[in-house]
Amino acid sequence: MTEIRFTIDGRACLAKPGQTIVEAAKANGVYIPVLCHYEGLKPAGSCRICTVRVAGRYMAACTQPVTEGMAVENTAPDLEDMRKSLIEMLFAEGNHLCPSCEKSGNCELQALAYRYRMMVPRFPYLWPVRTVEAGTPLVMLDRNRCVQCLRCVRGVRARDGRKIFASVRRGARVAIEIDRKLAARLSEEEARRAMDICPVGAILRKGTGFAKPIGKRRFDRTPIGADIEKGIGR
Amino acid sequence: MGKPVIATASLAGCFGCHMSLLDIDERILKLVELVEFNKSPIDDIKEFTKPVDIGLIEGGCCNSENVHVLRDFRKNCKVLVSVGECAIMGGLPALRNGIPLKECLEEAYLNSPTIAPEDRLIPNDEDLPIILDKVYPCHEIVKIDAFLPGCPPSADLIWEALTALIEGRPLHLTYDLVKFD
């Protein structure tokens, strides 16, 4: 198979045909931050945290395939600040009360905020009024924390392939809806996977919580993306 | 030049950030050598008696008294620091921000199962501070110069930030120190 030569911040990299910039970067030990992207799911390009610049144009690195000779800008200060502002926007437009969230320490949005050293969002908090759906036996849907990444819509399905989560309404009123009947049939393992697929604490496995103590959670000691940068993710 | 003067206050918070400050353990002896405390619950000085170099604010603003104390701190402190989640984003008290104030008061003082029927009354004494419609983070009320996240921020984070401010050196925060919980 012919390999594609491209660069990330001037560093020579190789990619396989069809690989997206995020995948190829990962294979070359370069971390491009992602939130709506999840390995194994069709990319959606909805959060734009992975925005990179190629020939002066901004593009979502999770949906854009690598082409021969492509020169990707990933860590330019203005790009990094734009990503940080996206994270801050997500914090300001939801109700992200980290100290009372079961996903704290394992939350990808929080981990990105740590990585980008967000001390306070630069935007005013909107305090949206959102509902919690706890009417299914194994999972709970807390829309206060939802960032509309659509990972649950794309990745959580019933055994017959039907979607369990869906996106309803548009604009500021957009929300994730859960199919109660299908969700009631989720197995223990499927419920666990639904919680894992959610990058924030919007989908939680009921009946258990705060399973790992502070200090042993996913992002307590190592920043998000550190495994890729150390080459472990390759 | 004398020692830098420090003041602290707790607004709508749980005093956990003050406890975290005290959690610096034996470094507190060094702190006493480094700084002089002015208005603070730690020494129980109620009013500012001199200009202050560094003000540490814990908690957000949930009532008119919080706003008054915060504005007083802004007026009297050269550098004002928001300490902890409540000061930075309202924290757990802000859980009420999605509920109309009338509903909150009725739930607490009229409909709560632990209230005897004869005691059902929403407090309205003129000496009581007015409750705000929402819990506000401090930087939405006055200008804040620095933010120390955490619930509470660790003693090490507070120590690092405080000593950096006192010594006038850049803040060095390792990954372990900055956490939101």
Side-chain angles (χ1 to χ4, degrees), chain B residues 146-177:
Chain B
F147 300 87
L148 302 179
C151 183
S154 68
D156 288 341
L157 173 61
I158 296 175
W159 178 254
E160 167 58 26
L162 209 48
T163 49
L165 272 171
I166 293 165
E167 292 161 11
R169 61 174 167 78
L171 200 57
H172 175 66
L173 298 177
T174 56
Y175 180 80
D176 281 9
L177 288 184

mmCIF file of all heavy atoms in Angstrom, chain B residues 146-177:
data_model
loop_
_atom_site.group_PDB
_atom_site.id
_atom_site.type_symbol
_atom_site.label_atom_id
_atom_site.label_comp_id
_atom_site.label_asym_id
_atom_site.label_seq_id
_atom_site.Cartn_x
_atom_site.Cartn_y
_atom_site.Cartn_z
ATOM 1 N N ALA B 146 -7.195 36.791 39.632
ATOM 2 C CA ALA B 146 -6.667 35.430 39.447
ATOM 3 C C ALA B 146 -7.687 34.412 39.926
ATOM 4 O O ALA B 146 -8.554 34.721 40.754
ATOM 5 C CB ALA B 146 -5.365 35.264 40.223
ATOM 6 N N PHE B 147 -7.580 33.205 39.372
ATOM 7 C CA PHE B 147 -8.556 32.152 39.675
ATOM 8 C C PHE B 147 -7.823 30.876 40.096
ATOM 9 O O PHE B 147 -6.910 30.434 39.401
ATOM 10 C CB PHE B 147 -9.415 31.854 38.432
ATOM 11 C CG PHE B 147 -10.184 33.057 37.944
ATOM 12 C CD1 PHE B 147 -9.604 33.958 37.066
ATOM 13 C CD2 PHE B 147 -11.469 33.294 38.387
ATOM 14 C CE1 PHE B 147 -10.290 35.074 36.620
ATOM 15 C CE2 PHE B 147 -12.174 34.407 37.952
ATOM 16 C CZ PHE B 147 -11.582 35.303 37.071
ATOM 17 N N LEU B 148 -8.252 30.302 41.203
ATOM 18 C CA LEU B 148 -7.663 29.041 41.661
ATOM 19 C C LEU B 148 -8.769 27.989 41.735
ATOM 20 O O LEU B 148 -9.513 27.930 42.710
ATOM 21 C CB LEU B 148 -7.021 29.205 43.049
ATOM 22 C CG LEU B 148 -5.928 30.268 43.182
ATOM 23 C CD1 LEU B 148 -5.409 30.315 44.611
ATOM 24 C CD2 LEU B 148 -4.783 29.988 42.220
ATOM 25 N N PRO B 149 -8.911 27.165 40.686
ATOM 26 C CA PRO B 149 -10.023 26.203 40.677
ATOM 27 C C PRO B 149 -9.815 25.043 41.643
ATOM 28 O O PRO B 149 -8.705 24.788 42.101
ATOM 29 C CB PRO B 149 -10.051 25.719 39.229
ATOM 30 C CG PRO B 149 -8.712 25.986 38.686
ATOM 31 C CD PRO B 149 -8.103 27.090 39.475
ATOM 32 N N GLY B 150 -10.917 24.343 41.903
ATOM 33 C CA GLY B 150 -10.876 23.164 42.772
ATOM 34 C C GLY B 150 -12.000 23.215 43.777
ATOM 35 O O GLY B 150 -12.540 24.271 44.056
ATOM 36 N N CYS B 151 -12.372 22.048 44.292
ATOM 37 C CA CYS B 151 -13.447 22.004 45.284
ATOM 38 C C CYS B 151 -13.030 21.089 46.428
ATOM 39 O O CYS B 151 -13.456 19.962 46.482
ATOM 40 C CB CYS B 151 -14.748 21.536 44.646
ATOM 41 S SG CYS B 151 -16.153 21.549 45.786
ATOM 42 N N PRO B 152 -12.194 21.577 47.338
ATOM 43 C CA PRO B 152 -11.529 22.879 47.276
ATOM 44 C C PRO B 152 -10.232 22.773 46.485
ATOM 45 O O PRO B 152 -9.770 21.666 46.211
ATOM 46 C CB PRO B 152 -11.209 23.130 48.762
ATOM 47 C CG PRO B 152 -10.930 21.765 49.295
ATOM 48 C CD PRO B 152 -11.849 20.834 48.566
ATOM 49 N N PRO B 153 -9.615 23.934 46.144
ATOM 50 C CA PRO B 153 -8.262 23.861 45.576
ATOM 51 C C PRO B 153 -7.358 23.210 46.619
ATOM 52 O O PRO B 153 -7.553 23.427 47.814
ATOM 53 C CB PRO B 153 -7.876 25.327 45.376
ATOM 54 C CG PRO B 153 -9.122 26.110 45.516
ATOM 55 C CD PRO B 153 -10.062 25.310 46.356
ATOM 56 N N SER B 154 -6.384 22.436 46.171
ATOM 57 C CA SER B 154 -5.530 21.743 47.145
ATOM 58 C C SER B 154 -4.686 22.759 47.909
ATOM 59 O O SER B 154 -4.424 23.868 47.431
ATOM 60 C CB SER B 154 -4.626 20.740 46.430
ATOM 61 O OG SER B 154 -3.695 21.439 45.639
ATOM 62 N N ALA B 155 -4.265 22.357 49.090
ATOM 63 C CA ALA B 155 -3.396 23.217 49.904
ATOM 64 C C ALA B 155 -2.137 23.577 49.117
ATOM 65 O O ALA B 155 -1.649 24.710 49.193
ATOM 66 C CB ALA B 155 -3.034 22.505 51.199
ATOM 67 N N ASP B 156 -1.625 22.615 48.344
ATOM 68 C CA ASP B 156 -0.405 22.872 47.568
ATOM 69 C C ASP B 156 -0.638 23.933 46.501
ATOM 70 O O ASP B 156 0.237 24.756 46.230
ATOM 71 C CB ASP B 156 0.081 21.574 46.903
ATOM 72 C CG ASP B 156 0.663 20.610 47.927
ATOM 73 O OD1 ASP B 156 1.017 21.069 49.036
ATOM 74 O OD2 ASP B 156 0.736 19.404 47.630
ATOM 75 N N LEU B 157 -1.829 23.910 45.885
ATOM 76 C CA LEU B 157 -2.143 24.917 44.864
ATOM 77 C C LEU B 157 -2.232 26.300 45.521
ATOM 78 O O LEU B 157 -1.660 27.277 45.019
ATOM 79 C CB LEU B 157 -3.468 24.575 44.165
ATOM 80 C CG LEU B 157 -4.015 25.629 43.196
ATOM 81 C CD1 LEU B 157 -3.061 25.898 42.052
ATOM 82 C CD2 LEU B 157 -5.362 25.216 42.644
ATOM 83 N N ILE B 158 -2.925 26.371 46.656
ATOM 84 C CA ILE B 158 -3.073 27.657 47.333
ATOM 85 C C ILE B 158 -1.694 28.165 47.777
ATOM 86 O O ILE B 158 -1.360 29.338 47.596
ATOM 87 C CB ILE B 158 -4.029 27.527 48.554
ATOM 88 C CG1 ILE B 158 -5.438 27.142 48.079
ATOM 89 C CG2 ILE B 158 -4.088 28.836 49.340
ATOM 90 C CD1 ILE B 158 -6.434 26.878 49.186
ATOM 91 N N TRP B 159 -0.886 27.263 48.291
ATOM 92 C CA TRP B 159 0.452 27.645 48.760
ATOM 93 C C TRP B 159 1.298 28.170 47.595
ATOM 94 O O TRP B 159 1.951 29.208 47.698
ATOM 95 C CB TRP B 159 1.137 26.444 49.416
ATOM 96 C CG TRP B 159 2.542 26.749 49.870
ATOM 97 C CD1 TRP B 159 3.705 26.346 49.297
ATOM 98 C CD2 TRP B 159 2.919 27.562 50.996
ATOM 99 N NE1 TRP B 159 4.779 26.842 49.980
ATOM 100 C CE2 TRP B 159 4.323 27.591 51.034
ATOM 101 C CE3 TRP B 159 2.194 28.254 51.972
ATOM 102 C CZ2 TRP B 159 5.021 28.299 52.006
ATOM 103 C CZ3 TRP B 159 2.896 28.957 52.942
ATOM 104 C CH2 TRP B 159 4.295 28.973 52.957
ATOM 105 N N GLU B 160 1.288 27.433 46.498
ATOM 106 C CA GLU B 160 2.080 27.831 45.324
ATOM 107 C C GLU B 160 1.628 29.201 44.822
ATOM 108 O O GLU B 160 2.454 30.082 44.546
ATOM 109 C CB GLU B 160 1.952 26.767 44.223
ATOM 110 C CG GLU B 160 2.447 27.163 42.845
ATOM 111 C CD GLU B 160 3.907 27.580 42.795
ATOM 112 O OE1 GLU B 160 4.701 27.136 43.645
ATOM 113 O OE2 GLU B 160 4.255 28.386 41.897
ATOM 114 N N ALA B 161 0.303 29.404 44.730
ATOM 115 C CA ALA B 161 -0.215 30.670 44.208
ATOM 116 C C ALA B 161 0.104 31.825 45.155
ATOM 117 O O ALA B 161 0.532 32.902 44.726
ATOM 118 C CB ALA B 161 -1.728 30.554 44.012
ATOM 119 N N LEU B 162 -0.077 31.557 46.435
ATOM 120 C CA LEU B 162 0.149 32.607 47.441
ATOM 121 C C LEU B 162 1.625 33.019 47.479
ATOM 122 O O LEU B 162 1.953 34.211 47.448
ATOM 123 C CB LEU B 162 -0.301 32.063 48.809
ATOM 124 C CG LEU B 162 -0.797 33.053 49.840
ATOM 125 C CD1 LEU B 162 -1.815 34.011 49.244
ATOM 126 C CD2 LEU B 162 -1.404 32.305 51.024
ATOM 127 N N THR B 163 2.508 32.032 47.515
ATOM 128 C CA THR B 163 3.942 32.362 47.595
ATOM 129 C C THR B 163 4.412 33.019 46.296
ATOM 130 O O THR B 163 5.255 33.911 46.329
ATOM 131 C CB THR B 163 4.797 31.110 47.902
ATOM 132 O OG1 THR B 163 4.410 30.063 47.012
ATOM 133 C CG2 THR B 163 4.609 30.662 49.335
ATOM 134 N N ALA B 164 3.840 32.591 45.146
ATOM 135 C CA ALA B 164 4.220 33.232 43.876
ATOM 136 C C ALA B 164 3.809 34.704 43.893
ATOM 137 O O ALA B 164 4.565 35.579 43.471
ATOM 138 C CB ALA B 164 3.561 32.507 42.703
ATOM 139 N N LEU B 165 2.595 34.970 44.406
ATOM 140 C CA LEU B 165 2.111 36.355 44.485
ATOM 141 C C LEU B 165 2.980 37.179 45.438
ATOM 142 O O LEU B 165 3.366 38.313 45.133
ATOM 143 C CB LEU B 165 0.662 36.377 44.981
ATOM 144 C CG LEU B 165 -0.434 36.256 43.926
ATOM 145 C CD1 LEU B 165 -1.783 36.068 44.592
ATOM 146 C CD2 LEU B 165 -0.472 37.487 43.033
ATOM 147 N N ILE B 166 3.295 36.595 46.586
ATOM 148 C CA ILE B 166 4.080 37.314 47.602
ATOM 149 C C ILE B 166 5.484 37.611 47.075
ATOM 150 O O ILE B 166 6.009 38.710 47.235
ATOM 151 C CB ILE B 166 4.167 36.479 48.909
ATOM 152 C CG1 ILE B 166 2.784 36.381 49.552
ATOM 153 C CG2 ILE B 166 5.165 37.083 49.883
ATOM 154 C CD1 ILE B 166 2.668 35.304 50.614
ATOM 155 N N GLU B 167 6.071 36.600 46.418
ATOM 156 C CA GLU B 167 7.452 36.753 45.939
ATOM 157 C C GLU B 167 7.516 37.420 44.562
ATOM 158 O O GLU B 167 8.597 37.675 44.050
ATOM 159 C CB GLU B 167 8.129 35.380 45.896
ATOM 160 C CG GLU B 167 8.350 34.778 47.291
ATOM 161 C CD GLU B 167 8.592 33.271 47.256
ATOM 162 O OE1 GLU B 167 8.796 32.726 46.151
ATOM 163 O OE2 GLU B 167 8.559 32.657 48.341
ATOM 164 N N GLY B 168 6.368 37.659 43.954
ATOM 165 C CA GLY B 168 6.344 38.312 42.652
ATOM 166 C C GLY B 168 6.957 37.487 41.541
ATOM 167 O O GLY B 168 7.568 37.996 40.612
ATOM 168 N N ARG B 169 6.820 36.167 41.650
ATOM 169 C CA ARG B 169 7.367 35.298 40.602
ATOM 170 C C ARG B 169 6.223 34.648 39.825
ATOM 171 O O ARG B 169 5.082 34.604 40.311
ATOM 172 C CB ARG B 169 8.284 34.233 41.203
ATOM 173 C CG ARG B 169 7.602 33.321 42.175
ATOM 174 C CD ARG B 169 8.508 32.199 42.640
ATOM 175 N NE ARG B 169 7.938 31.514 43.784
ATOM 176 C CZ ARG B 169 6.968 30.622 43.711
ATOM 177 N NH1 ARG B 169 6.449 30.287 42.540
ATOM 178 N NH2 ARG B 169 6.486 30.041 44.795
ATOM 179 N N PRO B 170 6.537 34.138 38.598
ATOM 180 C CA PRO B 170 5.465 33.510 37.821
ATOM 181 C C PRO B 170 4.935 32.258 38.509
ATOM 182 O O PRO B 170 5.675 31.564 39.209
ATOM 183 C CB PRO B 170 6.134 33.144 36.488
ATOM 184 C CG PRO B 170 7.521 33.627 36.558
ATOM 185 C CD PRO B 170 7.826 34.114 37.933
ATOM 186 N N LEU B 171 3.650 32.000 38.282
ATOM 187 C CA LEU B 171 2.990 30.842 38.895
ATOM 188 C C LEU B 171 3.464 29.572 38.201
ATOM 189 O O LEU B 171 3.471 29.496 36.981
ATOM 190 C CB LEU B 171 1.482 31.029 38.693
ATOM 191 C CG LEU B 171 0.510 30.276 39.563
ATOM 192 C CD1 LEU B 171 0.765 30.574 41.024
ATOM 193 C CD2 LEU B 171 -0.912 30.683 39.207
ATOM 194 N N HIS B 172 3.865 28.577 38.990
ATOM 195 C CA HIS B 172 4.264 27.300 38.392
ATOM 196 C C HIS B 172 3.290 26.232 38.871
ATOM 197 O O HIS B 172 3.359 25.783 40.010
ATOM 198 C CB HIS B 172 5.691 26.947 38.795
ATOM 199 C CG HIS B 172 6.109 25.592 38.309
ATOM 200 N ND1 HIS B 172 6.240 25.313 36.961
ATOM 201 C CD2 HIS B 172 6.370 24.435 38.966
ATOM 202 C CE1 HIS B 172 6.582 24.041 36.824
ATOM 203 N NE2 HIS B 172 6.668 23.487 38.018
ATOM 204 N N LEU B 173 2.344 25.881 37.984
ATOM 205 C CA LEU B 173 1.321 24.913 38.379
ATOM 206 C C LEU B 173 1.538 23.602 37.628
ATOM 207 O O LEU B 173 1.423 23.551 36.414
ATOM 208 C CB LEU B 173 -0.076 25.452 38.078
ATOM 209 C CG LEU B 173 -0.482 26.740 38.805
ATOM 210 C CD1 LEU B 173 -1.850 27.197 38.354
ATOM 211 C CD2 LEU B 173 -0.460 26.539 40.308
ATOM 212 N N THR B 174 1.842 22.556 38.348
ATOM 213 C CA THR B 174 2.006 21.251 37.712
ATOM 214 C C THR B 174 0.615 20.678 37.403
ATOM 215 O O THR B 174 -0.382 21.145 37.949
ATOM 216 C CB THR B 174 2.756 20.271 38.637
ATOM 217 O OG1 THR B 174 2.035 20.193 39.863
ATOM 218 C CG2 THR B 174 4.174 20.742 38.900
ATOM 219 N N TYR B 175 0.570 19.647 36.552
ATOM 220 C CA TYR B 175 -0.716 19.073 36.137
ATOM 221 C C TYR B 175 -1.535 18.610 37.341
ATOM 222 O O TYR B 175 -2.749 18.796 37.385
ATOM 223 C CB TYR B 175 -0.472 17.895 35.172
ATOM 224 C CG TYR B 175 -1.764 17.252 34.703
ATOM 225 C CD1 TYR B 175 -2.519 17.823 33.687
ATOM 226 C CD2 TYR B 175 -2.244 16.080 35.297
ATOM 227 C CE1 TYR B 175 -3.719 17.259 33.269
ATOM 228 C CE2 TYR B 175 -3.436 15.506 34.886
ATOM 229 C CZ TYR B 175 -4.168 16.096 33.875
ATOM 230 O OH TYR B 175 -5.348 15.536 33.459
ATOM 231 N N ASP B 176 -0.855 18.021 38.322
ATOM 232 C CA ASP B 176 -1.547 17.488 39.504
ATOM 233 C C ASP B 176 -2.313 18.554 40.289
ATOM 234 O O ASP B 176 -3.280 18.244 40.978
ATOM 235 C CB ASP B 176 -0.521 16.875 40.474
ATOM 236 C CG ASP B 176 -0.095 15.509 40.008
ATOM 237 O OD1 ASP B 176 -0.464 15.163 38.879
ATOM 238 O OD2 ASP B 176 0.595 14.816 40.761
ATOM 239 N N LEU B 177 -1.860 19.793 40.213
ATOM 240 C CA LEU B 177 -2.413 20.828 41.095
ATOM 241 C C LEU B 177 -3.754 21.391 40.632
ATOM 242 O O LEU B 177 -4.579 21.772 41.452
ATOM 243 C CB LEU B 177 -1.416 21.984 41.253
ATOM 244 C CG LEU B 177 -0.178 21.701 42.106
ATOM 245 C CD1 LEU B 177 0.662 22.962 42.250
ATOM 246 C CD2 LEU B 177 -0.557 21.190 43.484
#
